[in-house]
């Protein structure tokens, strides 16, 4: 499997200028590839093949108008061209229905004003990590790296990223085999929520940090200050940077929380059962801000990725399963209840906490679904 390891970079001012030059050249090559295909689309001609555009790039570097493309590594330019090819392949696959997920639009031009820029080096570029712990990049130099952990294997490529807050990162891609953890007996069902981030079937509760809600006032002031600045002024650029730093600080804290919680769940349980939530649909409701703040989609992706890496099992229960309406003791379906009702009594005499009862039902339904070899719908009595 392929894994990414990301590290913070501290380039010098000269290296920042070289990176900016590489970002710009990659953007121009990408836009040229999009423009070439848009031109033939408007004229009714057939799309140029990938090999033809690659040859055209080699030829255009010899012209006076594009001679400055030779100032950066050729691998960076070829990878930008490969990104354009992949964007069109995904677009056509989406149109034909071969690609799963939401429909993709046609590739768009990249702007020099984008706050997120990236370039990619493959093994052909001969990037290396020096004995002094620096990342040697062709035509850029030895860039200092903050090594928070060791690379587990030789990387096949590295992507250099500059985010909206002006930070630089190196994202290495490494090939690794699965690392199965010792088998254990415990399994858990998870009921995700907004007031409480998650309630587990074993009674454990994970409190919701509500990162955005806690930072909302500070973000509001920073954005108000940005709106008062004149467009194009240096003060506006400084204000934009303050807003971006506030956002990345919040996003980093959320990502760190998700990693820690997902890792703990995978290490402590052989199987994890969750609801197949329609996060995109919930994000269109009046709870949209809280749903985005909870970041359920990010959390579930991390759980699935780590389960695949460590030999654990993740089972998604049907989103229409009435986990909050069913008594986990007798199986009676008591009907829908508004979110304001946090506990309820079943005629069998059991008093349920809404979230804990739902987590236990998800656990039971997930176990039944896991034992269902033919893929048919099963009940909790299986």
């Amino acid at each position: 499997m392929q894994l990414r390891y990301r590290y913070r970079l501290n380039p010098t001012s000269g290296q920042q200028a070289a990176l900016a030059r590489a970002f710009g050249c990659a953007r121009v090559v990408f836009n040229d590839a999009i423009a070439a295909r848009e031109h033939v689309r408007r004229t009714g001609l057939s799309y140029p093949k990938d090999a033809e555009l690659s040859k055209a790039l080699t030829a255009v570097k010899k012209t006076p108008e594009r001679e400055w493309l030779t100032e950066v590594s050729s691998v960076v330019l070829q990878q930008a061209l490969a990104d354009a090819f992949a964007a069109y392949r995904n677009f056509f696959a989406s149109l034909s229905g071969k690609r799963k997920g939401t429909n993709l639009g046609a590739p768009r031009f990249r702007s020099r004003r984008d706050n997120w820029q990236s370039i990619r080096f493959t093994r052909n570029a001969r990037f290396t990590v020096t004995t002094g712990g620096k990342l040697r990049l062709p035509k850029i130099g030895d860039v200092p790296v903050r090594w928070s952990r060791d690379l587990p294997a030789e990387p096949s490529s590295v992507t250099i990223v500059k985010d909206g807050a002006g930070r630089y990162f190196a994202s290495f891609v490494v090939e690794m085999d699965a690392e199965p953890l010792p088998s254990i007996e415990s399994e858990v069902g998870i009921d995700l929520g907004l007031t409480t981030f998650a309630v587990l079937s074993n009674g454990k509760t994970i409190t919701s940090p509500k990162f955005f809600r806690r930072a909302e006032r500070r973000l509001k002031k920073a954005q108000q200050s940005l709106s008062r600045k004149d467009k194009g002024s240096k003060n506006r650029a400084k204000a934009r940077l303050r807003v971006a730093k506030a956002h990345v600080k919040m996003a980093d804290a959320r990502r760190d929380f998700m990693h820690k919680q997902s890792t703990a769940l995978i290490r402590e349980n052989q199987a994890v059962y969750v609801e197949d939530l329609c996060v995109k649909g919930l994000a269109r409701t009046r709870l949209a801000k809280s749903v985005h703040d909870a970041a359920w989609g990010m959390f579930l992706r991390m759980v699935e990725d780590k389960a695949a890496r460590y030999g654990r099992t993740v089972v998604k229960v049907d989103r229409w399963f009435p986990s909050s309406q069913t008594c986990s003791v007798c199986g009676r379906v008591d009907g829908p209840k508004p979110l304001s009702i946090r506990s309820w009594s079943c005629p069998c005499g059991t008093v349920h906490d809404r979230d804990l009862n739902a987590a236990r039902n998800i656990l039971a339904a997930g176990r039944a679904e896991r034992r269902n070899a033919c893929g048919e719908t099963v009940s909790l009595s299986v």
Side-chain angles (χ1 to χ4, degrees):
M1 63 176 61
Q2 287 188 337
L3 298 177
R4 282 194 175 272
Y5 282 73
R6 192 175 74 154
Y7 304 88
R8 182 79 178 269
L9 297 179
N10 292 323
T12 63
S13 57
Q15 291 168 347
Q16 289 181 21
L19 285 170
R21 193 159 47 245
F23 292 145
C25 291
R27 183 177 63 251
V28 167
V29 170
F30 181 90
N31 289 344
D32 284 349
I34 301 298
R37 291 194 166 180
E38 285 296 307
H39 173 71
V40 298
R41 182 183 65 83
R42 288 192 298 268
T43 55
L45 302 175
S46 59
Y47 277 97
K49 296 181 180 179
D50 295 354
E52 294 175 357
L53 290 178
S54 183
K55 289 181 180 179
L57 171 62
T58 303
V60 79
K61 289 164 64 176
K62 300 177 182 179
T63 63
E65 295 80 8
R66 289 284 192 268
E67 186 180 2
W68 40 267
L69 289 175
T70 59
E71 297 177 4
V72 303
S73 171
S74 60
V75 173
V76 168
L77 306 182
Q78 289 295 336
Q79 290 301 307
L81 206 57
D83 288 342
F85 300 157
Y88 271 102
R89 282 196 299 270
N90 291 335
F91 171 56
F92 292 134
S94 182
L95 285 180
S96 62
K98 296 179 181 179
R99 188 182 187 276
K100 296 181 179 179
T102 56
N103 294 333
L104 295 179
R108 295 181 295 181
F109 294 105
R110 293 178 179 175
S111 172
R112 63 184 300 175
R113 294 181 177 83
D114 287 344
N115 295 324
W116 191 90
Q117 304 281 348
S118 70
I119 52 175
R120 186 167 62 253
F121 296 89
T122 59
R123 286 196 179 117
N124 294 338
R126 295 190 176 91
F127 69 90
T128 58
V129 178
T130 65
T131 55
K134 294 183 178 181
L135 176 60
R136 180 167 294 166
L137 300 173
K139 297 192 177 182
I140 293 176
D142 296 351
V143 184
V145 185
R146 295 185 190 177
W147 296 104
S148 55
R149 51 183 172 170
D150 294 332
L151 277 172
E154 189 72 20
S156 60
S157 68
V158 60
T159 302
I160 309 301
V161 177
K162 180 184 179 183
D163 67 6
R167 304 180 303 176
Y168 293 85
F169 294 93
S171 180
F172 296 92
V173 175
V174 297
E175 290 281 350
M176 290 185 62
D177 297 328
E179 306 169 289
L181 294 172
S183 297
I184 53 180
E185 297 295 328
S186 62
E187 298 179 346
V188 69
I190 307 175
D191 179 63
L192 298 174
L194 297 177
T195 305
T196 302
F197 178 74
V199 176
L200 311 186
S201 56
N202 56 17
K204 181 181 177 181
T205 299
I206 302 176
T207 305
S208 179
K210 298 182 180 178
F211 294 104
F212 179 78
R213 295 291 186 181
R214 283 161 43 189
E216 192 170 13
R217 186 175 180 181
R218 183 171 65 254
L219 282 170
K220 179 181 177 181
K221 288 186 176 181
Q223 288 166 339
Q224 285 177 339
S225 176
L226 172 62
S227 67
R228 297 189 188 105
K229 302 297 186 291
D230 293 332
K231 290 186 178 181
S233 66
K234 290 185 178 180
N235 283 336
R236 185 177 178 86
K238 294 176 184 177
R240 187 208 61 79
L241 192 59
R242 284 194 292 270
V243 172
K245 287 182 177 180
H247 276 288
V248 298
K249 182 178 180 180
M250 175 183 59
D252 288 347
R254 181 186 292 113
R255 191 179 301 108
D256 179 68
F257 171 79
M258 298 295 177
H259 272 299
K260 289 178 179 177
Q261 297 301 329
S262 58
T263 300
L265 281 171
I266 292 300
R267 290 190 180 277
E268 297 170 2
N269 300 281
Q270 184 65 32
V272 178
Y273 305 102
V274 296
E275 283 184 292
D276 185 17
L277 297 172
C278 181
V279 180
K280 184 177 291 186
L282 291 169
R284 297 194 190 104
T285 67
R286 60 185 179 85
L287 300 174
K289 188 181 292 187
S290 297
V291 170
H292 285 299
D293 194 12
W296 294 329
M298 179 195 297
F299 175 72
L300 294 178
R301 283 194 301 272
M302 287 184 180
V303 170
E304 290 176 332
D305 292 345
K306 292 175 183 179
R309 179 179 179 182
Y310 296 116
R312 301 305 202 202
T313 302
V314 175
V315 177
K316 288 188 175 182
V317 176
D318 182 22
R319 67 184 58 168
W320 303 112
F321 172 65
S323 58
S324 298
Q325 306 172 22
T326 306
C327 175
S328 58
V329 177
C330 68
R332 174 190 173 94
V333 180
D334 203 41
K337 302 168 182 63
L339 291 175
S340 58
I341 296 179
R342 306 315 303 169
S343 62
W344 56 281
S345 299
C346 180
C348 70
T350 308
V351 179
H352 292 293
D353 175 271
R354 181 192 182 104
D355 297 333
L356 180 58
N357 176 69
R360 288 171 176 169
N361 284 329
I362 291 170
L363 173 64
R367 283 174 170 171
E369 189 66 36
R370 189 180 178 188
R371 293 195 298 267
N372 178 25
C374 59
E376 295 294 331
T377 304
V378 297
S379 65
L380 297 185
S381 59
V382 173

